[in-house]
Amino acid sequence: MDKTKLSAASIAAQALGWVDPVTRAVTPAIHPSSTYIRDPDNQYRSGRIYARDNNPSYDQAEAVLAALEGAEGAAVFASGMAAATAVFLALAPGDHVLAPKVMYWSLRNWLVTEATRWGLKVELVDTHDIDAVRAALRPGETKLVWLETPANPLWTVTDIAAVAEAAHEAGARVAVDSTVATPVLTRPLALGADLVMHSATKYLNGHSDVIAGALATARDDETWQRIKRIRAQHGAVLGPFEAWLLLRGMRTLVPRVRQASATALAIAEHFRRHDLVAAVLYPGLDDAPGHAVAARQMQGGFGGMLSLRVKGGRVKAGAQAAIATAAAVELWKRATSLGGVESLIEHRASVEGPTSPVPDDLLRLSAGIEDPAELIADLDQALRAAVG
């Protein structure tokens, strides 16, 4: 049986069916060693030299992710930012790159500051608008188009296949931040992307106890090898225990994502016509701007992330009402991050600061795996306590 051809649920739950050949353990060991013995003739036939380049604790997590993404290879990193920036650092000064106007804030901030100082020509566009992407592409000069879909925290959806076709015609590669969709719902490489990035801190781990990142590639080519060299040379490596925890979390990836997606849809449907909510942003709603594209490229759900824009009352403006709502929840947790088993709520504009494109009345919600009815009831009471 070719275990890479199994369903995502079976691949993840059994970690490709791996069993330790010596102990017969179904859970891999943790390898904390930083270095490995050289053969008497000065060779390294084990393939292991130094843990910063190649740690056996990575092997299974990378193999599972590659199988889930249908990738030629995968690599884990010390964080999502380490994984994402490695892709851009593999470019050359003067290269032109396109990225979304609305995206994960830390990466956006790095692109418009450090990346431009280093020499990249960064242009932010509405990547969900294929005409805007085509107009911004510079044939022969644009080397990378970075996508995030659904895009944090407005959850806009980009047509990966359409962008990939246009980018490849211009000679550019396409990398997709698929943290929110996960390989359970979307496989960007099958849609024409060249690279996939995950903040593995989020859904891949899913238990809010690991900082990690990951990349998967369509081809084991020179660009991929350059990215892996950057990982080693910059020391952007994951610890062995964190790699073990990541694999542990990935075993429950499929049921967690499915439950979170169902819960997020139930919350979105409930609040879409709520008297204290101005708008619900969620691609699973049939009237969402990107719903048709999402329905085509997301299979089995629309993800566990959504946002509410809170109406202001007679006393509080929208921003004040949103912050007060977050302060009044009892079951939801007021914390940064997403993709864990617990549901999180956050006022994003406060986090991102005055240059953020995020509306100040917006609350970002990460639906966990609690009882959906109880999550809805808690949000409702918080809204009424804050605004009603």
Side-chain angles (χ1 to χ4, degrees):
M1 178 185 295
D2 183 353
K3 292 175 181 174
T4 63
K5 303 298 184 183
L6 294 171
S7 67
S10 294
I11 288 171
Q14 290 202 8
L16 286 170
W18 182 91
V19 175
D20 186 284
V22 177
T23 66
R24 310 306 292 163
V26 298
T27 300
I30 301 171
H31 296 273
S33 181
S34 61
T35 192
Y36 308 92
I37 292 293
R38 190 186 293 268
D39 296 334
D41 61 359
N42 217 35
Q43 300 301 306
Y44 277 108
R45 291 181 179 83
S46 70
R48 312 286 182 185
I49 299 174
Y50 190 61
R52 180 160 51 81
D53 299 284
N54 191 348
N55 189 314
S57 296
Y58 303 163
D59 293 354
Q60 207 60 30
E62 291 178 344
V64 170
L65 180 59
L68 290 173
E69 289 287 6
E72 184 67 23
V76 293
F77 287 76
S79 67
M81 280 295 292
T85 55
V87 176
F88 292 94
L89 291 171
L91 301 173
D95 285 348
H96 179 247
V97 301
L98 300 181
K101 288 182 178 178
V102 177
M103 60 184 293
Y104 176 57
W105 181 249
S106 291
L107 182 59
R108 183 185 191 272
N109 190 46
W110 182 84
L111 285 172
V112 300
T113 55
E114 300 303 322
T116 56
R117 292 188 190 112
W118 172 63
L120 289 183
K121 297 177 181 177
V122 178
E123 184 175 351
L124 303 180
V125 298
D126 291 320
T127 54
H128 58 277
D129 181 345
I130 186 60
D131 291 331
V133 173
R134 290 194 183 102
L137 284 166
R138 305 176 190 176
E141 186 179 350
T142 305
K143 300 301 182 182
L144 179 71
V145 179
W146 183 271
L147 305 178
E148 181 181 330
T149 183
N152 189 355
L154 304 184
W155 315 119
T156 49
V157 176
T158 294
D159 188 329
I160 297 170
V163 171
E165 182 180 6
H168 291 159
E169 287 177 359
R173 290 174 179 262
V174 174
V176 179
D177 179 343
S178 195
T179 297
V180 171
T182 81
V184 178
L185 305 179
T186 303
R187 302 213 316 177
L189 301 183
L191 297 171
D194 302 286
L195 293 163
V196 181
M197 192 284 289
H198 292 278
S199 174
T201 305
K202 313 305 195 292
Y203 287 100
L204 294 187
N205 169 258
H207 291 79
S208 302
D209 56 11
V210 167
I211 300 294
L215 293 171
T217 183
R219 293 171 299 281
D220 185 0
D221 54 13
E222 173 53 32
T223 296
W224 180 244
Q225 291 304 315
R226 180 172 171 80
I227 288 170
K228 292 183 73 173
R229 288 195 298 273
I230 287 169
R231 178 180 68 167
Q233 292 166 354
H234 289 219
V237 294
L238 194 60
F241 181 56
E242 287 74 17
W244 186 90
L245 283 173
L246 174 58
L247 180 62
R248 182 282 318 265
M250 289 171 67
R251 289 177 181 265
T252 61
L253 175 65
V254 174
R256 286 188 289 101
V257 168
R258 288 176 177 168
Q259 178 62 57
S261 297
T263 296
L265 180 59
I267 293 169
E269 291 285 6
H270 179 87
F271 287 101
R272 69 191 302 185
R273 296 182 180 89
H274 195 279
D275 58 330
L276 300 179
V277 174
V280 176
L281 309 181
Y282 185 63
L285 294 176
D286 56 13
D287 58 352
H291 177 73
V293 174
R296 185 167 65 248
Q297 72 183 23
M298 301 181 76
Q299 305 299 315
F302 298 93
M305 298 303 301
L306 70 158
S307 295
L308 304 183
R309 297 189 64 177
V310 180
K311 288 182 180 179
R314 287 176 295 176
V315 178
K316 297 184 181 73
Q320 294 172 308
I323 293 169
T325 298
V329 296
E330 298 175 2
L331 182 57
W332 292 78
K333 304 298 184 185
R334 291 183 299 277
T336 292
S337 200
L338 56 96
V341 293
E342 65 287 306
S343 294
L344 303 179
I345 186 169
E346 184 175 50
H347 182 252
R348 281 305 298 173
S350 298
V351 175
E352 298 185 7
T355 61
S356 170
V358 176
D360 63 7
D361 59 0
L362 182 143
L363 289 173
R364 188 183 75 177
L365 309 179
S366 172
I369 62 172
E370 305 94 336
D371 184 295
E374 292 173 352
L375 291 170
I376 289 170
D378 187 37
L379 272 176
D380 186 75
Q381 70 79 24
L383 282 163
R384 300 201 181 281
V387 189

